[in-house]
Each structure stands twice: as C-alpha cells, then as structure tokens.
Amino acid sequence: MIPLILYEIPSKLEGNYWSPNPAKPRFVLGYKGLPFQLEWVEYADIASRMKEIGARQNKFPDGRELYTLPVLSDPNTGALVTDSWKIAEYLEETYPDKPIFSNKSKGLILAFDTAASNLWKAAITFPLLRSSEILNERNAKFFITAREAGLKEKFSEFSPEGPKRDEHWAIFERAMETCKEWYDSLEGKWLMGDVFSYADILIATRLFWFKRVLHDDEWEKIASWHDGRWGTLLADVERECNVV
Ligand SMILES: N[C@@H](CCC(=O)N[C@@H](CS)C(=O)NCC(=O)O)C(=O)O
C-alpha cells in the first residue's frame, strides 16, 4: 500500500503539531493503522498550495469559500479530499476495518460534531489568540487577519485579560461540565461506552489543541478539572490512535 499524504500546518512549537482540524484525520489514520506521510504547508500558503495540487475549496455555513486544511491525498485510489469530516467519511468507506462510525452512528456523530463545536464556540477566541503566538510572524499576521474577518472583531478584543477572559474561562468550564455529563451517561471510557468512535476523536483533538497552544498553567487547569479526566482522556485517545 502506498502511504497516504496528509497536508498539515506547522508551528514554532517543538513537534510542530497544533491545529485541531488536521489532527482529526491524523488520529483516524493512526487508529486505522494506515501508512501516511505529512506534507507541511505554512498557514499563509494554504490557498496557493491547495490550488496547485487541485484540491477543492471548502464551503462555510456563511457562504464563504476558502482553501482549508486538512486535505488528504490517497495515491492508492487517486482521491483528493478536503475537509476533516469528508476525510473521515472517505477513510471509513475506503478502509472499513477498525470502524470509527460503529453501530450506524455516522449521522449521530455528525450531529454531535455540531453540538461539540457549539459548546466551545463562545470560548475559543482565547485559544485562537494563543494559536497566533505559536506561528511565525508571517503566518501569525495572516492568521490574525483571517480570524478578525471571521469573528468580525479586532484581535485586541479577542480575549483581553480581565472580565472578558474570565468569562471565556467560565464558559470553558461549563462546556467541560457538559462534556462530562455526555461521558458519564454510559459506563466505559468512551462516549459510546466500550466502543471507541470518531466522537472521541472530535473531543480529544480539541483537547489536543488546547494542550498545544495554551500556556502550561492554562492547560493544566483544564486537564485537572473533573479529577483530571481531560488529561487522561486525551492520553487514552492518543494511545488508541497510535499518535504518541
Ligand atoms: N470544516 C473544516 C475546517 C477547516 C479549517 O478551518 N481549517 C483551517 C485550519 S485549522 C484553515 O485551513 N484555514 C484556512 C484559512 O483560514 O485561510 C474542516 O473540518 O476541515
């Protein structure tokens, strides 16, 4: 089998990885035990590089069309897939061993993806601010301009220290409380009880993002909530997906 190619975004961090969306297919590839290699594309070069390889643009709910990562190329089939969800679907259909949508759960997990995004929506300007700090100057500039346009807010307003940042932390904690309720509703360490699924990858890749971009004390605060279960969950999913 020829290794698949996953297009990823680098950072200044040791180990490079940081971005939650490319992490999703990376975790799936690891879980399914598929061979793959990475092609690193600087944030500011995503559009030009993706145009060059013929990837399609992504369409956002507000109608914007944008070249985004992750993109996956599969030389075994000739497929070139944009968008983490579409990649997950593609990998599941093409390589069904070790399923990520067991028990016909794909529709529910798609709905869960939206629910999980909405859960953190109001708090993620803080990790976005921290994300800009782990990119080099050129990419940080690009990233900030793009996020300002997306959020319709000046960068300095994203999550300034003080009441606004405190409110983001409060929203964060409430979100993790909801997440805890989801996990507590069944016995077993995964969201579907004993069955590992893409839903766990959706939660873990966000935790992964927080761990990578937030300052150590900030991540440790999140990891320690609810008896340290979030640090443990991330480690469990990483082990399950062979990404450590
Ligand atoms: N729904 C898409 C979102 C992908 C996305 O927003 N990717 C970001 C990086 S994490 C990106 O490539 N943004 C390009 C830009 O802002 O120009 C997915 O899940 O793949």
Side-chain angles (χ1 to χ4, degrees):
M1 182 174 180
I2 312 167
L4 288 78
I5 301 162
L6 178 63
Y7 292 84
E8 251 279 12
I9 312 167
S11 72
K12 292 191 293 187
L13 294 171
E14 206 183 307
N16 244 342
Y17 299 118
W18 64 281
S19 182
N21 287 314
K24 294 170 193 169
R26 187 162 57 83
F27 279 43
V28 176
L29 288 160
Y31 177 67
K32 287 179 175 283
L34 296 167
F36 67 100
Q37 61 193 49
L38 297 166
E39 187 176 312
W40 296 98
V41 181
E42 302 269 354
Y43 211 103
D45 299 330
I46 294 175
S48 59
R49 183 73 186 112
M50 290 307 103
K51 224 180 271 177
E52 215 171 76
I53 67 165
R56 68 160 189 82
Q57 284 181 301
N58 220 328
K59 213 172 182 154
F60 283 79
D62 61 5
R64 277 178 312 141
E65 294 204 356
L66 205 64
Y67 287 98
T68 59
L69 291 185
V71 164
L72 181 85
S73 158
D74 185 350
N76 302 285
T77 62
L80 186 61
V81 191
T82 302
D83 192 85
S84 60
W85 177 264
K86 294 243 160 29
I87 296 172
E89 280 186 314
Y90 168 79
L91 290 173
E92 187 77 340
E93 275 160 27
T94 317
Y95 305 103
D97 288 352
K98 293 201 80 182
I100 50 168
F101 299 125
S102 293
N103 306 333
K104 302 194 171 153
S105 60
K106 193 169 96 174
L108 283 177
I109 294 180
L110 179 59
F112 176 76
D113 194 3
T114 307
S117 299
N118 287 338
L119 190 65
W120 277 295
K121 204 178 199 159
I124 60 155
T125 44
F126 176 50
L128 285 175
L129 178 144
R130 287 280 181 257
S131 298
S132 71
E133 295 167 358
I134 55 98
L135 296 171
N136 68 28
E137 205 182 322
R138 180 173 82 102
N139 292 305
K141 232 174 168 173
F142 182 91
F143 180 85
I144 289 168
T145 308
R147 293 289 96 77
E148 282 182 330
L151 296 167
K152 297 184 179 56
E153 211 170 24
K154 291 298 288 174
F155 182 62
S156 56
E157 308 281 302
F158 273 21
S159 192
E161 254 182 274
K164 194 163 177 182
R165 172 94 49 96
D166 295 345
E167 175 59 12
H168 287 158
W169 273 110
I171 296 168
F172 234 118
E173 196 163 2
R174 283 200 297 276
M176 296 319 293
E177 186 66 43
T178 302
C179 227
K180 176 185 176 297
E181 281 165 23
W182 289 342
Y183 270 93
D184 282 350
S185 61
L186 281 180
E187 241 175 79
K189 68 177 163 186
W190 308 126
L191 207 54
M192 285 167 59
D194 295 333
V195 182
F196 181 75
S197 76
Y198 192 62
D200 299 296
I201 291 180
L202 289 172
I203 298 293
T205 47
R206 282 184 181 86
L207 295 172
F208 159 81
W209 176 37
F210 304 148
K211 180 178 182 180
R212 293 292 283 163
V213 304
L214 297 183
H215 295 168
D216 287 349
D217 59 322
E218 293 162 351
W219 162 247
E220 273 151 26
K221 183 155 128 179
I222 296 171
S224 72
W225 283 334
H226 308 121
D227 299 324
R229 71 190 292 162
W230 307 116
T232 305
L233 179 70
L234 175 58
D236 285 346
V237 174
E238 286 182 328
R239 207 170 314 108
E240 196 70 14
C241 296
N242 305 300
V243 293
V244 273

